[in-house]
Amino acid sequence: MKEKQSSEGLEDKTKFVDSSRRRFTKAGLAATGVILTLASRPVLANTDCRSPSAWASANMSVHNKYNEMCFGNYPDYYANNPQAWGGTQYLPGTYNDNKEKSSSSKSTNSNGNPSSTNNVDNWVGGTLFQEAFPGSRQYPGKSMMQVLWMGRPLGEYLSAALLNAALGLTPPLTETRIVDMCLEYETKGYFEPTAGVHWFEGDIIFYLENLA
């Protein structure tokens, strides 16, 4: 399990999104617990804030204007800030520090808390991914927080998107729509935001990333 640190996480995410953006454009679209290393969130709102269908349609006409604003957070933010889940129905669970007591090389930050985690199973409790996404067959037995630490980009972005929607940070995208997006992708192998337009994994991630 890789260590998840702010600088490395954002660098990896940037590389993934850049790759997704190229493929997206080519297709004609794209509570409790310890406090860990903080990940950055956008300072300014994203003014290009649209529903999936509006996003797909707007890519065919660059002159469209949208007035809604999004203030969504990236997956790293929710992974590193369990207290940010407050106000949603979803629970982050707790970080079981006892599972790492035997590790003498564990690094700590200035507050004495682990500066990174190297075992996703140290997160216990919390809302299961399959509870948050009823009908999903992905990540059985794993909580949303565990998924955020697993290094699976689509699962990370879907989990973060659900939290963003629950907090009212992405007005065009409801929790129900996000769940539907997840299930449709699992069933068909793609998500269809509008008739005849197919979004694959990189395209979905590119869209969700752009709401932050």
Side-chain angles (χ1 to χ4, degrees):
M1 173 68 186
K2 67 177 182 180
E3 289 190 353
K4 195 180 189 80
Q5 297 179 350
S6 179
S7 59
E8 294 177 356
L10 293 178
E11 180 181 355
D12 292 343
K13 177 177 62 181
T14 299
K15 292 179 181 178
F16 188 91
V17 171
D18 285 345
S19 175
S20 299
R21 181 179 288 110
R22 287 193 293 271
R23 185 153 63 84
F24 189 94
T25 303
K26 185 177 180 181
L29 305 170
T32 52
V34 298
I35 306 303
L36 309 176
T37 305
L38 296 180
S40 299
R41 64 150 294 162
V43 176
L44 300 177
N46 180 357
T47 56
D48 192 19
C49 186
R50 294 164 277 173
S51 66
S53 59
W55 179 277
S57 299
N59 273 275
M60 303 173 188
S61 175
V62 297
H63 301 295
N64 288 355
K65 299 295 182 181
Y66 296 87
N67 296 321
E68 290 187 281
M69 301 176 73
C70 285
F71 297 83
N73 293 304
Y74 292 119
D76 285 351
Y77 181 79
Y78 290 116
N80 285 290
N81 294 275
Q83 76 280 5
W85 298 44
T88 76
Q89 63 176 310
Y90 311 106
L91 301 176
T94 58
Y95 187 78
N96 187 353
D97 197 31
N98 291 328
K99 289 190 176 184
E100 293 193 28
K101 291 296 185 182
S102 61
S103 174
S104 59
S105 61
K106 183 180 64 175
S107 60
T108 59
N109 60 26
S110 59
N111 295 320
N113 291 324
S115 59
S116 63
T117 62
N118 58 13
N119 189 341
V120 67
D121 291 324
N122 283 2
W123 284 98
V124 297
T127 302
L128 295 177
F129 185 89
Q130 291 185 343
E131 291 176 342
F133 293 86
S136 173
R137 300 182 300 277
Q138 298 298 308
Y139 316 112
K142 298 297 183 183
S143 69
M144 290 175 64
M145 179 61 91
Q146 288 177 315
V147 171
L148 285 170
W149 285 95
M150 286 177 66
R152 306 285 183 84
L154 183 57
E156 292 180 8
Y157 272 91
L158 286 170
S159 296
L162 205 59
L163 292 167
N164 284 331
L167 291 169
L169 301 178
T170 52
L173 199 56
T174 65
E175 293 172 74
T176 299
R177 187 57 166 155
I178 296 165
V179 172
D180 289 344
M181 179 185 297
C182 173
L183 298 183
E184 183 175 338
Y185 175 77
E186 283 188 32
T187 301
K188 299 180 178 179
Y190 61 83
F191 169 67
E192 194 167 11
T194 191
V197 176
H198 295 172
W199 285 3
F200 300 97
E201 179 175 350
D203 307 318
I204 295 171
I205 293 171
F206 178 78
Y207 167 71
L208 295 177
E209 190 272 344
N210 273 273
L211 295 185

